[in-house]
Amino acid sequence: MINLTVDIQGINLKSPIPVMRGLYDLTPDELLLSQEYYESEVRSYPRRLPLAIAKASGVLVEDTRGQVYLDCLAGAGTIALGYNHPEINQALIEQLNSGIPYQTLDITTPAKDHFIRELMAFLPHTFAENAKVQFCGPSGADAVEAAIKLAKQTTSRNTIAAFHGAYHGMTNGTMAMMGNLGTKSRRQGLMADVHFLPFPYDLRCPFGLHGEQGARQGLRYIERMLADDECGIQTPAAIIVEPIQGEGGVIPAPVFWLKELRRITEEYGILLIFDEIQCGIGKTGAHFAFEESGVTPDILCLSKAIGGGLPMSLLVFNKRIDTWRPGEHTGTFRGNQLAMVSGAKTMEIIRRDNLAQQVKITGEYFRHGLEKIATKTRCIAEVRGKGLMLGVEICDPEGSKNKFFEPLSAPELTLSIQRAALERGLIIEKGGREGSVLRFLPPLTISFEQIDFALKALQNAIDSLVKPKQFSQSPDTLQQNWRDHFIHTGNSGADSFEIAMNQSTQALKKIFEHTDTPYSGIDPTVLAAQIRHANLGKSPQPLSNVIEETQKLIGENSIIVQHPHCIAHLHTPPLLPAVAAESFITALNQSMDSWDQASAGTFVEQEVTDWLCRSFGFSDTADGVFTSGGTQSNLMGLLIARDHVVKVRSDCNVQKEGLPNYASKLRVICSNNTHFSMKKSAALLGLGENAVVCVNTYSDGSMDVESAEVMLKALEADGLIPFMIIGTVGTTDHGAIDNLDDVANFAEKHDLWMHVDAAYGGALMLSRHQARLEGIKRADSVTVDFHKMFFQPISCGAVILKDKIHFSYIRHHSDYLNREDDILPNLVDKSIATTRRFDALKLWMTLQNIGSKTLGSMIDYLLNLTQLVADMVNNRLQFELLVAPCLSTVLFRYVGVENGYDLDYLNRQIRLDALVKGRAVVGETTVDGKVALKFTLLNPCLRLSDFDQLLNELESLADDAVKQIQN
């Protein structure tokens, strides 16, 4: 974040925020009284903001009393970079010293040429390449007047269409297109033939539908009107719209709505005018508010911030409609040289410092803070806006509704909050329907600390006028209220559970239905700050509020594993029967310690583990237990193998007597692609990471068993004791599968415990590729992860022992759990964990609903798709396939640049940009010393076309990264 030096009255303030010592004095001073005496009654701002400005710097303003305010109005959005930005000031000084006049009509100058070139670079390229610029008089209204005239003369039509809530200026023509009836109630003879259309306004939808449905109904109304030869309205010359209505109440037009409006205007030969006088120049998190929609207007109206704080307005329009004749629209002050200098410098700084992207971050932070305030008060109907153009609609705190059953506006309360905020050092504007919207238009350079000040000032202002929401209850009903937080047996005992589950389901449904990227793209520091500002436990809220906030803060900012471009890691989109099982598991809250804690659960887990043992080809002597996943299963395999070798070698019980003195010599042999959890487990078990000895692999990533032979002899020659060998079915990066028969022969030859880590590839036992697991039934222990290729929710795994008697190495009797004389079964004897979830239910319900045959077909499809994706990568010149796939991972890298670029850095940057921009979640690893990108295919719903799109995205990101390096 850019922090500008704050220097007011010659004092360099250490604090970038106002230092409050009580409420500010807002009684009129001499300057305000003088203004009231001399100036017309038409003055407006001083009535609501009674202060006389002495100095200003950055986001801070000092009045003539020495009171410092944080300004979230910023000249109605004209001061994009804050007051007295040092670079802008210096540019103006240099211009004044250059000898060029202050204004030059429309005669060109170096300053003007520089401004135009900077503007063209600031515009979207597709718009700029066919654009002409027209300088108008200094006000935005004059630019709109010029746009109207241009549209009419180009189309030879006279009708103009505007929108409810619109504001385009205060001249005869622009006021005719104004939505506010009060302002123009005494005006006669305004421009004729203006017609108004419904603007998408979720809170006060004219069709009573709200949301996307209401916006689409508005589009239908527009298109139906244009197609109706009895509508009474001639085809307009132009439709003029603000992508975000400002004075109308900070109402953003949905992206799809702007796209459809563009389609409609093109279809009917109507010019589309975007009025970005207030919402343009970085305020919304892009250079222009319309950019997110991807559409291009015919005419763009600009003023306010385009002049860097000085008066200037202009049009940018498609050169095909440049139908002007010389002098048909003119104005003496259309050649303001100082405004061109400050405007050019403003755009240069925004581009150079990537401030539009910063606005996305600070705007998200600001909006989230406003939404938090809304949960604590009864007078906020809606928080809305984009970037740093935000609005808070104030309603009757008693919850009254108007005759349309919408929140009743509260204009007097809005005015009072605005003044109360001013007394607390915060300048904000108001507007919207009945003047009931508080508006925030701070400079783009506002910092997080300054936003915190603004939020605190607003919260205090509201609290001084409106009683906060009360969530606490009287002591008499305390226990009854506690009951509301639990599920109960009996009639109506689960009503609150049903409500909570339904609301949670709807919240999740909304997340999935409105997700179009695998990650929201919110800056990680902002997300952390928002979560940190939750004030855990300090202000309890109704569960409905908590669920809604969880949806917005957590759900909408989570990695969405169901998205086609989320393809990085070894966890899957969970199957619906398993998700349904999670609700049973959580609500029933069974613990798998003993039968009297998990009656049916005990039998279900045993049934599922018996099915698992049979599926791997083990005999009736085998058994298993559910674990949290591969790491715990590998730990158990190593633990049991360690204790077994000690028992066989020296008849020592490690559980009772501890490790023998030769424990430091025990060694485990595995490949150098074995999962890291084996070394971690060895460390936890007191053997040390060095006890795990890695041997070479073949080119496909599988273990070189001959290398293991050489290693074993070397270990024994050094007096060390190899006791275990680990085979892997699906290494994390390559997906490589060791030859398990060779590993089993090696284990039998040298009397070693054979453990197979089949966390990734164990599900092949269900597929037509099950022959690749040949030899697995000879293993002493096997790790399986169900939250990988079994498509189960995390966490869900198991460990299998060929001989169930070996579970005795971890058995420990406790009278309150597993008494020696118990008849009823218990599972705690087989687990290193006491409390365990009933995770077996997920697999049980999946097998009941989907069946093992369908699961196997999904796995077969993924393996086939992986080969096709690898071929696709291999056939693209911009990418290099690094390894032929063994399972369902594709390892590759971007190479589509000339020699001289650091490909490792570039590929890292591509992955990072893909993530933080919300475009894709792909993996990163290293292959033969090269940084590689990784696709992990664990979503059987994906198609080859999804990967074509994904590779296009990565190419686009690579191009952007190369340009960034070049700059």
Side-chain angles (χ1 to χ4, degrees):
M1 188 69 212
I2 292 179
N3 291 312
L4 301 178
T5 301
V6 178
D7 191 349
I8 299 177
Q9 288 192 340
I11 302 173
N12 192 325
L13 300 181
K14 292 183 179 179
S15 175
I17 60 173
V19 179
M20 304 295 296
R21 296 180 177 84
L23 298 182
Y24 282 172
D25 181 2
L26 299 183
T27 58
D29 65 3
E30 184 179 344
L31 282 176
L32 287 168
L33 292 171
S34 176
Q35 181 184 33
E36 183 180 359
Y37 181 80
Y38 287 109
E39 285 193 33
S40 163
E41 290 298 308
V42 78
R43 69 190 186 282
S44 61
Y45 286 112
R47 299 180 187 278
R48 303 188 300 276
L49 302 171
L51 58 95
I53 297 176
K55 288 188 177 183
S57 179
V59 188
L60 302 184
V61 167
E62 184 184 349
D63 70 6
T64 49
R65 283 194 170 97
Q67 299 173 144
V68 177
Y69 302 82
L70 191 137
D71 187 2
C72 283
L73 174 57
T78 60
I79 314 296
L81 300 183
Y83 294 97
N84 290 309
H85 190 288
E87 290 187 66
I88 293 177
N89 284 357
Q90 183 59 38
L92 290 171
I93 291 170
E94 291 173 1
Q95 176 69 11
L96 288 169
N97 291 334
S98 70
I100 295 176
Y102 302 153
Q103 72 92 8
T104 63
L105 303 174
D106 60 359
I107 299 170
T108 194
T109 67
K112 183 175 186 177
D113 184 70
H114 176 65
F115 172 85
I116 293 173
R117 292 177 185 275
E118 194 64 53
L119 173 63
M120 289 302 178
F122 200 75
L123 289 162
H125 175 71
T126 53
F127 188 23
E129 63 183 355
N130 294 306
K132 285 291 187 75
V133 180
Q134 176 183 351
F135 290 89
C136 304
S139 74
D142 192 58
V144 177
E145 289 280 4
I148 296 167
K149 290 162 64 174
L150 179 59
K152 289 183 176 182
Q153 72 191 25
T154 299
T155 62
S156 299
R157 303 184 202 128
N158 195 54
T159 302
I160 298 291
F163 287 90
H164 302 163
Y167 179 86
H168 301 290
M170 300 288 283
T171 58
N172 183 276
T174 58
M175 189 173 282
M177 301 184 299
M178 175 191 292
N180 191 310
L181 294 173
T183 305
K184 61 183 184 180
S185 61
R186 299 195 300 164
R187 311 281 81 77
Q188 301 298 321
L190 296 177
M191 181 179 69
D193 216 2
V194 175
H195 300 274
F196 287 87
L197 306 171
F199 191 83
Y201 186 4
D202 191 21
L203 188 67
R204 306 188 188 282
C205 175
F207 306 102
L209 297 173
H210 311 289
E212 182 174 328
Q213 191 177 1
R216 291 198 181 279
Q217 187 63 27
L219 289 165
R220 185 181 187 279
Y221 173 88
I222 295 169
E223 191 162 13
R224 190 70 189 81
M225 179 196 76
L226 293 171
D228 187 354
D229 60 356
E230 291 285 338
C231 72
I233 300 173
Q234 293 182 330
T235 302
I239 294 179
I240 183 168
V241 63
E242 302 158 88
I244 299 182
Q245 288 191 344
E247 304 296 328
V250 194
I251 309 172
V255 166
F256 78 86
W257 187 87
L258 289 174
K259 289 180 178 179
E260 282 295 287
L261 188 64
R262 174 73 282 186
R263 178 190 63 78
I264 292 168
T265 54
E266 287 179 341
E267 188 172 327
Y268 288 90
I270 301 167
L271 297 184
L272 180 60
I273 304 172
F274 281 164
D275 179 348
E276 291 229 16
I277 288 168
Q278 188 164 104
C279 63
I281 320 301
K283 288 185 186 66
T284 63
H287 288 176
F288 298 97
F290 73 83
E291 286 187 65
E292 185 182 3
S293 69
V295 306
T296 301
D298 297 298
I299 304 173
L300 177 65
C301 302
L302 298 174
S303 186
K304 293 192 185 294
I306 193 64
L310 296 180
M312 180 168 62
S313 78
L314 53 87
L315 297 184
V316 186
F317 51 82
N318 192 301
K319 62 179 65 173
R320 68 178 171 78
I321 63 169
D322 189 7
T323 57
W324 291 115
R325 294 174 183 169
E328 277 194 310
H329 190 88
T330 186
T332 302
F333 291 102
R334 66 192 186 279
N336 186 340
Q337 297 298 295
L338 294 178
M340 292 175 187
V341 168
S342 56
K345 181 57 70 172
T346 295
M347 289 185 286
E348 175 193 327
I349 293 170
I350 292 173
R351 283 203 305 136
R352 182 195 70 198
D353 296 342
N354 200 16
L355 285 184
Q357 179 62 31
Q358 186 67 38
V359 166
K360 281 186 180 179
I361 297 170
T362 49
E364 186 83 15
Y365 182 84
F366 207 156
R367 177 174 179 148
H368 180 71
L370 294 172
E371 289 171 343
K372 287 285 289 184
I373 292 173
T375 66
K376 300 175 184 177
T377 184
R378 299 171 295 166
C379 71
I380 294 180
E382 188 173 54
V383 175
R384 56 180 178 256
K386 286 186 178 180
L388 288 172
M389 189 174 182
L390 299 168
V392 175
E393 183 149 354
I394 303 299
C395 63
D396 176 25
E398 300 304 318
S400 302
K401 305 289 185 181
N402 61 21
K403 64 180 178 179
F404 304 107
F405 299 100
E406 301 162 346
L408 187 66
S409 297
E412 292 183 2
L413 176 58
T414 307
L415 189 62
S416 297
I417 294 173
Q418 183 189 32
R419 184 176 179 90
L422 191 67
E423 291 175 329
R424 290 159 176 80
L426 175 64
I427 299 173
I428 50 178
E429 175 57 319
K430 71 180 194 68
R433 302 308 200 273
E434 300 184 52
S436 292
V437 177
L438 296 171
R439 301 178 56 214
F440 296 80
L441 279 170
L444 312 187
T445 53
I446 191 169
S447 68
F448 292 124
E449 186 177 3
Q450 290 165 338
I451 292 172
D452 286 341
F453 175 87
L455 293 170
K456 182 179 179 182
L458 179 65
Q459 179 74 73
N460 291 340
I462 292 173
D463 289 347
S464 72
L465 298 164
V466 180
K467 189 176 180 180
K469 286 181 180 177
Q470 297 295 320
F471 302 121
S472 61
Q473 304 293 329
S474 64
D476 295 339
T477 59
L478 191 59
Q479 191 174 40
Q480 178 59 41
N481 292 331
W482 289 346
R483 288 180 58 82
D484 293 341
H485 300 304
F486 292 90
I487 304 171
H488 304 278
T489 58
N491 188 34
S492 301
D495 286 354
S496 57
F497 167 74
E498 181 183 23
I499 293 169
M501 291 297 290
N502 285 341
Q503 188 179 355
S504 297
T505 300
Q506 289 304 310
L508 287 164
K509 185 172 184 286
K510 187 178 290 186
I511 290 169
F512 292 128
E513 287 181 345
H514 291 83
T515 291
D516 55 8
T517 59
Y519 175 60
S520 64
I522 185 174
D523 186 277
T525 59
V526 175
L527 181 58
Q530 290 181 355
I531 292 173
R532 195 166 52 247
H533 276 68
N535 292 322
L536 285 178
K538 294 183 179 178
S539 54
Q541 305 170 45
L543 180 56
S544 59
N545 288 11
V546 174
I547 292 172
E548 184 177 359
E549 182 179 6
T550 301
Q551 171 200 323
K552 293 180 178 178
L553 178 59
I554 309 302
E556 293 177 7
N557 293 313
S558 292
I559 302 298
I560 306 299
V561 296
Q562 291 82 0
H563 193 278
H565 290 178
C566 185
I567 196 95
H569 299 293
L570 279 169
H571 61 277
T572 73
L575 287 164
L576 283 176
V579 174
E582 284 284 6
S583 62
F584 280 89
I585 294 167
T586 304
L588 294 173
N589 203 31
Q590 309 287 284
S591 177
M592 304 307 295
D593 306 6
S594 57
W595 192 90
D596 60 356
Q597 297 181 73
S599 51
T602 299
F603 296 129
V604 168
E605 180 168 325
Q606 190 61 60
E607 180 65 23
V608 173
T609 51
D610 287 348
W611 169 84
L612 190 64
C613 291
R614 292 193 302 271
S615 298
F616 277 116
F618 288 110
S619 69
D620 291 343
T621 62
D623 199 3
V625 70
F626 268 66
T627 67
S628 62
T631 297
Q632 184 182 345
S633 296
N634 285 338
L635 174 66
M636 289 183 67
L638 181 55
L639 166 64
I640 292 169
R642 179 201 67 179
D643 289 8
H644 178 68
V645 71
V646 172
K647 176 69 174 175
V648 171
R649 188 179 180 89
S650 53
D651 197 25
C652 175
N653 186 329
V654 174
Q655 192 178 27
K656 302 290 186 183
E657 302 169 35
L659 291 171
N661 55 12
Y662 58 80
S664 62
K665 297 182 179 181
L666 295 175
R667 291 295 181 267
V668 177
I669 297 174
C670 60
S671 85
N672 54 24
N673 282 333
T674 298
H675 196 259
F676 77 90
S677 62
M678 294 311 303
K679 287 194 172 185
K680 187 173 183 179
S681 297
L684 291 173
L685 294 174
L687 302 179
E689 288 189 3
N690 291 338
V692 178
V693 181
C694 299
V695 301
N696 295 333
T697 56
Y698 297 118
S699 58
D700 66 356
S702 64
M703 180 191 289
D704 180 351
V705 179
E706 291 182 2
S707 178
E709 284 279 3
V710 174
M711 177 61 71
L712 182 136
K713 291 177 181 178
L715 292 172
E716 290 180 336
D718 289 338
L720 300 174
I721 307 170
F723 73 97
M724 183 181 193
I725 185 167
I726 299 169
T728 304
V729 177
T731 58
T732 304
D733 282 338
H734 294 72
I737 299 176
D738 293 338
N739 187 316
L740 299 182
D741 260 334
D742 286 352
V743 174
N745 291 336
F746 180 85
E748 289 179 7
K749 176 181 177 182
H750 299 287
D751 197 19
L752 304 180
W753 182 283
M754 177 183 171
H755 176 76
V756 175
D757 180 355
Y760 180 4
L764 290 181
M765 70 179 189
L766 304 178
S767 81
R768 61 184 177 84
H769 295 274
Q770 60 185 249
R772 299 176 70 183
L773 301 186
E774 191 67 35
I776 197 168
K777 64 183 179 182
R778 300 168 65 187
D780 296 289
S781 56
V782 177
T783 286
V784 188
D785 247 0
F786 302 114
H787 53 246
K788 293 184 172 64
M789 293 185 83
F790 285 85
F791 315 113
Q792 301 294 295
I794 293 170
S795 58
C796 193
V799 63
I800 299 171
L801 298 186
K802 182 169 64 177
D803 190 340
K804 67 180 73 174
I805 196 172
H806 292 141
F807 275 121
S808 63
Y809 291 119
I810 59 173
R811 183 176 298 125
H812 183 94
H813 283 290
S814 174
D815 286 342
Y816 75 93
L817 281 180
N818 54 348
R819 293 169 291 276
E820 295 277 7
D821 57 349
D822 265 350
I823 299 174
L824 294 171
N826 72 78
L827 301 180
V828 75
D829 284 350
K830 298 190 290 183
S831 178
I832 61 173
T834 303
T835 302
R836 287 191 300 114
R837 299 177 82 246
F838 181 20
D839 286 317
L841 183 64
K842 294 185 283 194
L843 197 60
W844 190 84
M845 288 181 65
T846 296
L847 292 170
Q848 291 288 88
N849 174 233
I850 294 174
S852 55
K853 185 175 181 181
T854 300
L855 283 174
S857 297
M858 292 178 182
I859 297 163
D860 290 338
Y861 173 80
L862 281 175
L863 268 58
N864 183 59
L865 182 62
T866 302
Q867 297 298 326
L868 295 175
V869 172
D871 289 342
M872 177 185 287
V873 170
N874 206 30
N875 289 327
R876 286 202 178 205
L877 295 177
Q878 293 84 359
F879 295 102
E880 174 189 8
L881 183 67
L882 295 175
V883 179
C886 296
L887 202 52
S888 69
T889 54
V890 179
L891 299 171
F892 66 103
R893 67 186 333 213
Y894 178 80
V895 292
V897 289
E898 299 174 356
N899 292 333
Y901 284 91
D902 184 341
L903 289 178
D904 286 348
Y905 170 81
L906 183 57
N907 279 274
R908 286 193 189 99
Q909 195 62 42
I910 292 169
R911 184 199 69 85
L912 183 60
D913 288 347
L915 176 62
V916 299
K917 293 179 180 179
R919 306 265 286 276
V921 182
V922 298
E924 177 194 320
T925 187
T926 302
V927 177
D928 296 331
K930 299 176 180 178
V931 171
L933 301 177
K934 180 170 71 168
F935 291 160
T936 305
L937 282 68
L938 289 176
N939 183 350
C941 300
L942 296 181
R943 299 177 180 178
L944 195 60
S945 58
D946 294 318
F947 290 90
D948 192 42
Q949 296 172 11
L950 180 53
L951 290 170
N952 289 339
E953 284 279 6
L954 296 180
E955 284 186 31
S956 174
L957 289 165
D959 291 342
D960 292 344
V962 170
K963 289 176 185 176
Q964 191 69 28
I965 294 170
Q966 291 171 341
N967 292 335

